[in-house]
Amino acid sequence: MKSIILAELYKLLKRKNFIVLAVLSLWSLIYGFGAFLHWDFVKFGAKLDLVTFTTTMWTFLLILTIPLLLILYTSSSILGGEIQGGQILLEVNRVASKKTLIISKYIVVILSILFLYILNGLSSIISYIFFLSKTEFGYTRFWELHSTNVQSIIISLVNLGFVLLLASIAFYLSLHLSAIVAAFASLGIYFLCQLLSYMAIISKFIPGYFFTVPNYHFTVGLALFHLLTYGLICMLLLGATIRVFEKKSL
């Protein structure tokens, strides 16, 4: 499995859409630099600490929709793109089982999103230390940690789980649809969750609650509920993907 994962990672690094995503993940450097130079389009409603700036930069990036769509397209093309292009036949003949191939590809999907998340986080930290902390929007003592920061970190991880859930949906749908259609269909599910979140009675239990609702009600229990729910659904989707792929005629 290790050799398959390494081969998939190598192919991923050659994809133009993933390279674009990596570049977009560095956008916080431009944002911080713009604040440092007092560019007009860079505006903050209040002073931000290091943790708040770092965690919100990832959310702001995905709210732009195009980066999220690119993530979903990358996730669906890892499987669906190769089914559509016919390369999957060569891969199936080289592995011990179709299950191993699917799990390896799914691990690459997770690693790709984690890489983008960490890259965005590191660029945000660098941007804050060297640029934003030297402006009226930041603090020079940026290493302090308080309860609000802990909440921001937890919410950021929950939202990361939601993105992984959407990517898992795109990965599964790519068995039945083309990579681009699977990506748009998954994005449609995101918009559906966004619409359902306006229903106050059920909003707290809708996937993406902390991502789509600006004035969410935070509790550790609710955050854990969402994380566990995302993890369970992802595992069910992976199992469904394996079963469908094993029966699929290639």
Side-chain angles (χ1 to χ4, degrees):
M1 182 179 291
K2 182 179 178 181
S3 60
I4 302 174
I5 293 174
L6 291 175
E8 291 294 330
L9 286 172
Y10 177 74
K11 288 189 292 184
L12 180 67
L13 293 175
K14 295 175 66 177
R15 296 177 185 270
K16 292 181 181 179
N17 53 295
F18 185 75
I19 295 172
V20 170
L21 273 171
V23 173
L24 288 175
S25 297
L26 300 173
W27 83 297
S28 54
L29 289 172
I30 298 175
Y31 213 71
F33 188 61
F36 182 73
L37 295 180
H38 303 286
W39 290 349
D40 292 336
F41 74 89
V42 178
K43 301 291 183 182
F44 294 94
K47 295 184 72 171
L48 300 175
D49 57 39
L50 174 64
V51 173
T52 303
F53 178 74
T54 302
T55 53
T56 54
M57 282 297 100
W58 171 254
T59 303
F60 286 162
L61 176 66
L62 298 180
I63 286 176
L64 296 174
T65 304
I66 292 178
L68 178 58
L69 179 60
L70 285 174
I71 288 175
L72 298 178
Y73 175 70
T74 300
S75 302
S76 60
S77 62
I78 287 175
L79 177 60
E82 296 193 349
I83 292 176
Q84 192 175 12
Q87 300 96 322
I88 199 74
L89 289 171
L90 296 174
E91 297 185 4
V92 168
N93 292 330
R94 294 174 181 173
V95 297
S97 68
K98 291 182 177 180
K99 179 179 179 179
T100 301
L101 181 61
I102 291 296
I103 293 175
S104 299
K105 286 181 176 292
Y106 186 70
I107 289 174
V108 171
V109 169
I110 295 174
L111 290 177
S112 67
I113 296 173
L114 290 178
F115 171 77
L116 295 171
Y117 179 77
I118 293 172
L119 182 63
N120 181 263
L122 290 175
S123 66
S124 298
I125 291 171
I126 293 170
S127 178
Y128 191 94
I129 293 174
F130 290 99
F131 301 124
L132 203 63
S133 65
K134 295 177 172 57
T135 71
E136 66 272 22
F137 303 116
Y139 298 93
T140 52
R141 296 182 62 181
F142 42 76
W143 294 114
E144 294 182 358
L145 190 66
H146 47 79
S147 58
T148 306
N149 292 149
V150 174
Q151 177 178 319
S152 297
I153 293 171
I154 294 173
I155 293 301
S156 180
L157 292 174
V158 173
N159 289 338
L160 174 62
F162 179 58
V163 175
L164 289 171
L165 172 61
L166 292 174
S168 299
I169 294 172
F171 187 74
Y172 170 75
L173 291 178
S174 68
L175 285 172
H176 312 279
L177 307 169
S178 66
I180 188 64
V181 174
F184 273 106
S186 303
L187 189 66
I189 291 175
Y190 160 68
F191 288 131
L192 177 61
C193 291
Q194 196 172 33
L195 287 173
L196 292 174
S197 67
Y198 287 103
M199 301 174 65
I201 298 178
I202 61 172
S203 62
K204 290 182 181 179
F205 306 103
I206 298 299
Y209 168 70
F210 293 107
F211 188 80
T212 59
V213 178
N215 300 316
Y216 54 76
H217 175 68
F218 174 81
T219 64
V220 174
L222 186 59
L224 286 174
F225 167 79
H226 277 271
L227 270 178
L228 292 174
T229 301
Y230 299 159
L232 176 61
I233 297 174
C234 286
M235 291 300 99
L236 290 174
L237 285 168
L238 176 59
T241 305
I242 292 171
R243 287 194 298 272
V244 173
F245 187 72
E246 286 179 333
K247 296 177 182 178
K248 192 175 183 66
S249 151
L250 300 174

